[in-house]
Amino acid sequence: MTVPNAAISEALSLLPPRLDTPAARVTMVAIGLQESRFLYRRQLRGPARGFWQFERGGGVIGVLSHPASRPLAAVLCADRQVDYTSAAVYERLEHDDVLAAGFARLLLWTDRRPIPPAGASEAAWSYYLDLWRPGKPHPQTWPGLYARALVETEEQ
């Protein structure tokens, strides 16, 4: 369960600097831990791909089509040499942690509300539920994983 901090940093370096904030990093790590524990790039019993568990018709389409994320996703896809289509991105997410981290950050960017500040675990849980819409949320695991995300991102 190693957090892919290098991939997160590389993804954030490809996006505008204002998207790289402590709150964004903590939230990204917490969601990655919640979704896959950074162990599974392919959902065990389902269609999601990448450490942040994006579905083709859900988060992938959302990031590719949302007015706030669409132009940034195009830049990210060009840099990662992946076609700007839901099918191509979906397939690549399983193997490209930088692309997956970038899409996770861009999904957060689609929300008009600011990302909850680092340390606001309950607010971050609500934010995660609204954006990821997990089919089977596990609220009992969030506090511990969020606490780990705080530690992981302090070391950056």
Side-chain angles (χ1 to χ4, degrees):
M1 187 167 25
T2 302
V3 174
N5 286 314
I8 292 170
S9 292
E10 186 174 344
L12 291 171
S13 77
L14 299 171
L15 300 172
R18 69 183 180 275
L19 273 66
D20 187 358
T21 66
R25 284 181 180 258
V26 169
T27 303
M28 289 173 65
V29 171
I31 291 170
L33 288 167
Q34 183 75 11
E35 287 289 315
S36 71
R37 304 296 193 271
F38 293 115
L39 294 173
Y40 307 103
R41 289 180 175 90
R42 179 183 282 246
Q43 192 174 32
L44 295 175
R45 287 181 293 267
R49 300 290 186 267
F51 284 141
W52 286 269
Q53 300 291 291
F54 274 71
E55 293 183 15
R56 180 177 172 187
V60 173
I61 289 286
V63 169
L64 291 175
S65 63
H66 194 281
S69 57
R70 185 174 47 237
L72 301 175
V75 170
L76 185 61
C77 287
D79 184 83
R80 303 308 297 169
Q81 300 177 345
V82 60
D83 290 339
Y84 189 79
T85 66
S86 62
V89 169
Y90 174 73
E91 290 301 321
R92 183 72 67 85
L93 287 173
E94 185 177 352
H95 308 287
D96 187 335
D97 295 343
V98 174
L99 182 67
F103 265 65
R105 180 58 184 100
L106 290 177
L107 184 56
L108 295 173
W109 184 243
T110 65
D111 197 314
R112 289 185 168 178
R113 299 170 297 167
I115 297 172
S121 177
E122 287 183 32
W125 171 254
S126 177
Y127 203 79
Y128 158 69
L129 290 176
D130 290 347
L131 290 168
W132 259 255
R133 299 182 201 143
K136 295 179 183 176
H138 300 282
Q140 71 281 3
T141 62
W142 181 261
L145 295 173
Y146 189 86
R148 175 157 181 227
L150 285 170
V151 170
E152 290 284 346
T153 55
E154 282 178 4
E155 297 170 1
Q156 289 298 299

